[in-house]
Amino acid sequence: MAPRDGQGRLASLVRRPATWVVGVILVALGATFSSGLQSLFAGLLPDGWSEPGSGIKVVDVDRKPLSGPVLIPSVASAKFRNFSEAAAAINDPDWEAEHEWYAAGRITWEVTLVGRHSDPVVITDLRPERTGPCTKRIEDGVLVDDTPQGEGQKIELKTAIDDAVPQLISVADGSAYFDGGTVTLAKGETVVISIAATSAGPTCEWVLEADYVDHGERESMTIKAPGDRPFAITGHRDDRAYSLIWSLSCLGRAQTPEDASVTDTPPGC
């Protein structure tokens, strides 16, 4: 019986070694071309553009200038020549990362996030979580009173870190922001989340935990202060309680408790 047409053609190809060689070369060229295109396009996109769990990136975590006094427990690490130098230090991420310091009573952090994937990434929750139990208020140190005279800043979110369960609350309406609310980031889109944190007395350390949906998968990330440290806050005391106070009212030198107790501006201010 004569072979069918398909079988005949196959048998003919088997009997032609040159045809096999050409076929193998074409397959290899196709694989190489495809791999080259993948490498080319991958080189044009940011690192991690398609990796699950990497859909958002922390661009900056900054203490907002003039957002409240800062307490430095160690007098030795607070050798400033004037108020301008003191204010510049506590607003410098490198200084913040290298020194022990606490927000005194209140602080505003600004967290900048950027989307990295072609499919939008949806942040479903952002919450402060303490890294351990709060302790008693720090009673002494050097205070840098980085607070403007007459504040009028608009702050999107706030939280009382010393609450039983801290939450991020919308300043606009007093609701828990992520109870039904989300933040969606397309590729290259950024958002700045401003968080005003307070403590009425205790010393607390905390981080921000973010939950988000990336490529249909639920992911999470931890956001910390500069230097990969927890955020830290303690209660604020009357200025007279601290060893030294750097203040806008005394630009030239730090005030002592005795200076702070007098009515008139101390000499040299």
Side-chain angles (χ1 to χ4, degrees):
M1 178 185 294
R4 288 176 294 178
D5 290 345
Q7 292 176 333
R9 285 196 296 269
L10 178 61
S12 176
L13 288 173
V14 169
R15 290 192 297 268
R16 299 178 186 175
T19 303
W20 279 97
V21 172
V22 171
V24 170
I25 292 173
L26 289 174
V27 170
L29 286 174
T32 302
F33 182 68
S34 175
S35 176
L37 282 179
Q38 291 175 359
S39 299
L40 173 63
F41 286 118
L44 297 175
L45 295 168
D47 291 341
W49 68 277
S50 63
E51 298 171 4
S54 63
I56 56 176
K57 180 180 178 180
V58 178
V59 179
D60 283 310
V61 179
D62 295 322
R63 174 189 176 275
K64 187 174 181 179
L66 303 178
S67 66
V70 165
L71 179 62
I72 307 165
S74 172
V75 176
S77 63
K79 301 294 186 181
F80 307 121
R81 292 172 295 181
N82 51 50
F83 174 77
S84 297
E85 186 176 280
I90 63 172
N91 288 291
D92 178 2
D94 290 336
W95 187 94
E96 293 171 355
E98 295 169 2
H99 294 81
E100 181 186 13
W101 64 277
Y102 296 80
R106 60 193 176 90
I107 190 173
T108 299
W109 285 100
E110 292 187 337
V111 179
T112 304
L113 305 174
V114 63
R116 305 180 71 204
H117 287 174
S118 54
D119 292 336
V121 178
V122 181
I123 303 173
T124 58
D125 193 18
L126 183 67
R127 60 195 177 278
E129 290 194 1
R130 290 191 293 263
T131 58
C134 293
T135 57
K136 64 181 182 179
R137 178 173 58 189
I138 298 174
E139 299 292 333
D140 197 12
V142 175
L143 188 76
V144 181
D145 193 15
D146 193 31
T147 306
Q149 306 300 314
E151 293 177 272
Q153 299 125 323
K154 292 183 180 179
I155 300 173
E156 297 176 10
L157 304 176
K158 64 181 181 179
T159 182
I161 295 300
D162 53 339
D163 275 356
V165 181
Q167 286 184 299
L168 291 182
I169 303 298
S170 170
V171 174
D173 59 15
S175 65
Y177 187 84
F178 284 95
D179 279 359
T182 61
V183 175
T184 301
L185 291 174
K187 186 174 72 174
E189 184 179 4
T190 61
V191 63
V192 178
I193 301 175
S194 184
I195 300 166
T198 61
S199 172
T203 300
C204 306
E205 295 188 351
W206 54 288
V207 297
L208 285 168
E209 295 290 346
D211 296 335
Y212 60 98
V213 178
D214 178 20
H215 282 108
E217 299 290 335
R218 293 188 177 276
E219 306 286 351
S220 63
M221 69 184 302
T222 300
I223 302 172
K224 297 181 180 180
D228 198 34
R229 298 180 177 186
F231 303 101
I233 192 168
T234 191
H236 182 266
R237 301 184 68 194
D238 184 273
D239 287 349
R240 301 176 193 178
Y242 300 108
S243 297
L244 291 173
I245 308 101
W246 288 100
S247 171
L248 278 169
S249 63
C250 186
L251 298 176
R253 64 179 178 84
Q255 297 181 64
T256 64
E258 292 74 25
D259 291 335
S261 66
V262 301
T263 303
D264 297 331
T265 302
C269 291

